[in-house]
Amino acid sequence: MAEAQGGEALLFLTDEQLQQGIEAMFFAYQGFTADPDRILGTMAYGRAHHRAIHFIARKPGTTVTNLLGILGVTKQSLNRVLRTLVEDGLVASRVGKSDKRERNLYLTAEGAALERKLSDAQRARMRAAYRAAGPGAVAGFRQVLEAMMDPEMRRRYQTLKGTQS
């Protein structure tokens, strides 16, 4: 019986149950981004700045081209964000060592401090939710998120976390 409740029952979700999941995800995302949004709002930055800072911190020295692929934004949009972050002293852009046309991106000390502040807020929210849900739910949640990714996005995600498969 536990099998049917844990696995088989999920194969027969009603449209209403799926709609509830969609709405829960929408509101969870609002909560997940609320704390960083408040911090960024005091600095006239937005979510695009946050995403750039996050992934530069995650992979120091990443190229603009790689960041474009991760974020899935236009070059014009990313250049606007990067220009602001570089001008404000949060990101350093260096010429590539092997290819002089590449720009490698690094957080400055100020950028790293902002990234820690933003990530600490999100980690606290995630930690509290994970603790409340329990280890089985955490593993299931990650499985659901990965299953929702398009194959190319999943590949980029796996590459980022270092588990290429």
Side-chain angles (χ1 to χ4, degrees):
M1 190 59 130
E3 173 74 29
Q5 288 180 347
E8 281 183 41
L10 294 178
L11 299 176
F12 303 103
L13 292 171
T14 65
D15 285 348
E16 180 57 30
Q17 288 170 314
L18 293 170
Q19 191 63 35
Q20 289 172 4
I22 291 166
E23 289 167 359
M25 193 165 188
F26 175 77
F27 287 110
Y29 181 74
Q30 282 186 328
F32 181 70
T33 57
D35 300 319
D37 284 352
R38 278 191 285 279
I39 295 165
L40 293 165
T42 66
M43 308 172 76
Y45 293 146
R47 290 184 188 161
H49 297 88
H50 181 197
R51 287 189 296 268
I53 288 169
H54 174 86
F55 287 107
I56 294 168
R58 188 83 163 89
K59 193 168 167 112
T62 192
T63 63
V64 172
T65 302
N66 187 52
L67 195 55
L68 278 167
I70 290 170
L71 298 177
V73 298
T74 65
K75 193 171 186 177
Q76 181 181 4
S77 174
L78 181 58
N79 281 337
R80 189 171 41 252
V81 166
L82 289 176
R83 185 172 37 256
T84 304
L85 294 172
V86 168
E87 287 172 0
D88 292 350
L90 299 172
V91 170
S93 175
R94 301 182 192 142
V95 174
K97 290 181 178 156
S98 60
D99 185 342
K100 302 296 182 199
R101 296 169 298 176
E102 284 186 345
R103 288 188 297 153
N104 299 101
L105 304 170
Y106 301 87
L107 293 183
T108 63
E110 294 84 6
L114 176 59
E115 189 281 329
R116 265 190 312 279
K117 189 174 181 181
L118 298 169
S119 290
D120 284 350
Q122 287 185 312
R123 274 192 294 271
R125 189 178 288 264
M126 253 345 224
R127 187 175 291 113
Y130 278 175
R131 282 188 178 143
V138 171
F141 176 66
R142 191 169 299 121
Q143 272 186 298
V144 168
L145 291 176
E146 289 182 19
M148 288 175 56
M149 294 176 195
D150 290 335
E152 175 59 22
M153 190 63 66
R154 189 176 309 109
R155 187 193 63 73
R156 283 188 251 158
Y157 167 71
Q158 290 168 340
T159 299
L160 183 69
K161 68 178 194 166
T163 60
Q164 180 79 33
S165 57

